[in-house]
Amino acid sequence: MLSRFWYFLVAALAGAGIAAAFMAQDQINRTAAAAVEEGLRRDRAEIELWLRYDARLRIDDIAPMAAHSDVRNALKQATARRDRSTLDDAIRTPLGTRLAELNQQLREGAAQLLFAVDGEGEIVAQLGGEAPPAGAGLAAFPLVQRALRGYVGDDVWVYNGKVYRMAARPVIDGGQYVGAVVHGSEVSAALAQRLATRIPGATLAFFLRDSLVATHVPAAEGAVQQNVLQEGLAAALGDATVTTAMASGPAEARDLPSGRFTLAFVRGSAAHAQVGYAIARGHVPMASPTDLFRSQESLDSVPWPIVIGAPVLLGLLGLLFVFLELARPLKAFRTAAQAIGSGHSQRVDEAAMRGAFRQIAADVNSALERAQAAGGVKKPAKDLDEILGPKDSGGAPKGGGYFGFSQDEPGADAIPEPPRAAPKAPAAPPAAPPAAPPAAPTAPKAAPPPPAPPAAPKAAPPPPAPARPEPMPEPEPRSLSTGLDDDEEDGATMVAHVPKELLAAAAEANEDEAHFKEVFEQFLALKTECGEPTAGLTLDKFKQTLRKNREAIVSKHGAKTVRFTVYKKDGKAALKATPVKD
Amino acid sequence: MRSDVLSKWLLIGILAASATALAGPLRGTVRLPAPTAAEPPETPPYYWNVWNGFVDPADERADARRELAVVLTGGELPEPVGCDFAISGGDFLPKTMAVRPGQSLRVRNGDGCVHELQSSDLSELVPLGTTPGNTRSVTIPAGGPYTITDRLYGHVSGVVHAVDGLAACGRVARDGSFVFEGVPVGTYTLKVLRGATEIHSASVTITDAETTLEPIAAGN
C-alpha cells in the first residue's frame, strides 16, 4: 500500500514539478516584464528630472546675456521704434556680435540657435539657423510671449526641421521689458549620449514623428538596437489611440522583438509635432521552462547536492518500500509454497505473511482444506523418472530418455513419455476383477486358476481403464447352474466349465507378465552394468510403465501386443518397443 | 508673375481713372475686452514658467491686430481691397481671415521658420512645408468658416470666412483701431469677425470725406 502510495506521491511530485516549471516560467516572464517596465518607468522619471534640471540651467545660463548692457540697449532701441520701421544694421550687427561673444562663454551650454527679440517679439539678432526675413518675429510663440511679459521659462521647438530645447528670459531696461533672449540647444546624439549615462543599459532616442533625430544605443549585451526601436516607434505612433493617450502622459510600455520600450512626448510645444523620446530595455521572455538552463548564472545558483540527492533518496526510499511490501512477502510466500510442494508443510503459515499475501495464504489454505476434505490430496503418479532413475539437470531422464526408441527405426515405435505433471491418479486401486460368483466358492484346485489381477499400481493410469489385464469375465450362470445340478445329484464337488476365451486371455496375460519380468531383469542388469543407479526401480513399477506403453502402442498401431527389448544407448540402458501385429 | 504685373497696372489704371470716385478713409475702433487669464493646463507644456523677480509681470494684452477681421461687403469692386494675410511672429496675422467664396486664400510665410499649414475642413490643405518668404494658397469654397492649423506649432490657428461680396479688408492695429483706404464711395456692410464668430455687422456709407465710426464693442 505504501509503495503504491509512493508511486502516486512520486507521480504527483513529478506533475507538481512540471507545473512548477511552467508556473516559474510564467512568473519569471511576468516578473522580468514588470522589472523591465519598472525600470522603464524609473528611466523616464530620471530623464524627466534631468530635462527639468537642464532647462533650469539654461534659463540661468542666459541670465548674463539678458542682463548685458549692450543687449539691453540694443533691444531698448529696437522696441522704441514706434513706426516699426526696418531695423537699422547699426543696431543689429553690434548686438549679433555681442550675443556671439556671450554665447561662447556658455561653453557646453552654448546655444545652437539664439534670438534677441524686442518688446514686440521681432527678431533683432539671431545666431544659428537661417537668416530670418526682415520683420520676422517670434511674438506668438508661447515661450516668447511669456518672456516678454516677464517670465523665465523653457520649451521645445521644431525649428526648420530640427528639434531645440528652448529657454527664454526677459530683458529689462529701466524697469521696462524691452525684449527677450531666447536660447535654443539642439537635441542631438551628444545629448542622448549624455542623458543615457543616467539610465545605464537603456537605449534612448528622441524622435520627431516616426523619425529618430537623436539616438544612443548602449554597448551592453542585449541592448535594443536603433532599427528595432524605430520599427516599434513607427507602429506605436501609427496607432491613434496611443498618440491620443500620450497627449496626457507617457504611453504604456510596449513590446519589441528584443525588449520593451516606453515613449512620451516632450514637455513643450513641440509635442504638438509629435516630438518625444523613447526608452527601451532589452528583454526576451522565456519561451520554455528549459530556457532556465541556458543561463550559467542560474545553473550555478542551483544547490546540486540537494537537487540530485533528494530524488536519489526518494528513489531509494521507494525501492525500500517495494522491497518491504512486495519483494520480501513474495519471497516468504514462495518459500511456503515450495514447502507445501515438497511435502514439508501442509499449509501456508498465514501469520508469516503480510499484506495481500496473508489473504492469498488464507485462500490457499482454504483450498487445501477443501481438497483434503474431499478425499485427501492425491499423490501424483510416479513417472518414469521415479521408476527408471534420476533425471539429469535438464529434466530429461539421464541417458537420453526412458527408452532408447528411435522414431526412425523401422518397426519400432516411440513409447510416449508420461507427462511430467501427470494428473494425480485416484488413490483407489483399479477395479479388481469381479469375484467369482458365490455359486462357485469351491472351485476345484485342479482347475486352472483364473488370471491374477495385476498388482494394484500406486499410480493407476488415467481412464479409460486399461485394456489389460481384462477383468475376468463373469462365468456364465447357465454353466454354473448346470454344475450345481450335478453336485446336488452326486454330492461331490464339480469343477465348472471355463470358457476358452478366458483361458486364452489368462495365458496371454501370463505371457506378458513373463515378458515384462524378463525385460526387467535384462534392464536391471544392463543398468547395473552401465553403472546407473537402480535404487527404487522395482518390478511392479517397471511392469506398470511397460503396460501403459504397451497399451498406448497397441492403441496407436492396432498391434496385437508389444515386445520390449533392452539395449545400450550412449552408455545407458534403454528400452525399445516393437509392435507385434500377428 | 507676368499676370501679376499686368493685374497691378490694370488696377492702377482703374484707380487713376476713377480717382474722383475714391473716398476718404473709413475709420473706426473695435474695443476688445481684456483677456482673461486662462486656467493653467494640468500638465503645462513646459518645466519652468517663473517670474523673473525684478519687474512685475506685464498684463496680458489683447492684440486686435491679430484677432480681428474688419471687412466691408457690397459694392462693385472686381477684387477685394487690402485683404493680405500672412504668418508673422509665429502665428496668422490676422488669425481671422476672409475671402470671397471660390477664391484663393493666400498666406505668406513672413517668419524665419517653416510652417506646415493644414486643415481638416479643407481637404486641399494638406500639411506641406511653407518655407520663409513663400506663400501658401488654397481655394476657399462657400460655407465655412474653416479652421486652419499648423502641424508643427500648436499655437498657430486661424479661421477663414468665405464672405459673399467681400469688398475690402480693413487694416487693424493692436489697439483695435481700423481703417479702410482706397474704397470707392458707396454704401457697404461693415462686418467685424473674430475667430469663427461675426461679432458685428452694420451698414456704412463711405463718402468723399474721412468717415469715423462709433467705437464698436466686442463682447467676449
Side-chain angles (χ1 to χ4, degrees), chain A residues 72 76 148-150 170-179, chain B residues 51-52 54-58:
Chain A
R72 287 191 287 129
K76 181 180 179 180
L148 292 177
R149 290 180 54 217
V171 175
I172 304 169
D173 186 81
Q176 300 291 321
Y177 294 113
V178 296
Chain B
W51 173 54
N52 67 85
F54 297 103
V55 178
D56 289 341

Side-chain angles (χ1 to χ4, degrees), chain A residues 219-236:
Chain A
E221 186 181 357
V224 176
Q225 298 302 306
Q226 180 173 333
N227 59 332
V228 175
L229 181 57
Q230 183 149 16
E231 288 175 8
L233 184 65

Side-chain angles (χ1 to χ4, degrees), chain A residues 89-113:
Chain A
D89 283 345
I91 298 174
R92 290 179 179 274
T93 306
L95 178 59
T97 304
R98 180 60 65 195
L99 283 178
E101 292 173 0
L102 294 170
N103 191 43
Q104 282 185 342
Q105 292 174 10
L106 295 179
R107 301 177 183 277
E108 288 183 358
Q112 285 81 50
L113 185 65

Side-chain angles (χ1 to χ4, degrees), chain A residues 192-209:
Chain A
Q193 186 175 3
R194 190 148 47 109
L195 268 173
T197 60
R198 312 297 296 261
I199 49 173
T203 301
L204 174 65
F206 286 90
F207 59 85
L208 168 57
R209 301 193 192 100

Side-chain angles (χ1 to χ4, degrees), chain B residues 178-194:
Chain B
F178 61 88
V179 61
F180 288 94
E181 294 176 321
V183 180
V185 171
T187 299
Y188 300 91
T189 300
L190 176 74
K191 293 177 182 286
V192 178
L193 307 171
R194 186 183 188 189

Side-chain angles (χ1 to χ4, degrees), chain B residues 83-121:
Chain B
C83 294
D84 298 322
F85 307 107
I87 298 176
S88 179
D91 203 350
F92 285 103
L93 185 68
K95 290 165 73 77
T96 306
M97 298 165 280
V99 296
R100 289 182 181 174
Q103 288 195 338
S104 288
L105 170 71
R106 296 170 57 81
V107 180
R108 183 180 57 85
N109 183 3
D111 280 343
C113 59
V114 175
H115 287 276
E116 296 181 4
L117 300 183
Q118 63 182 5
S119 174
S120 58
D121 301 332

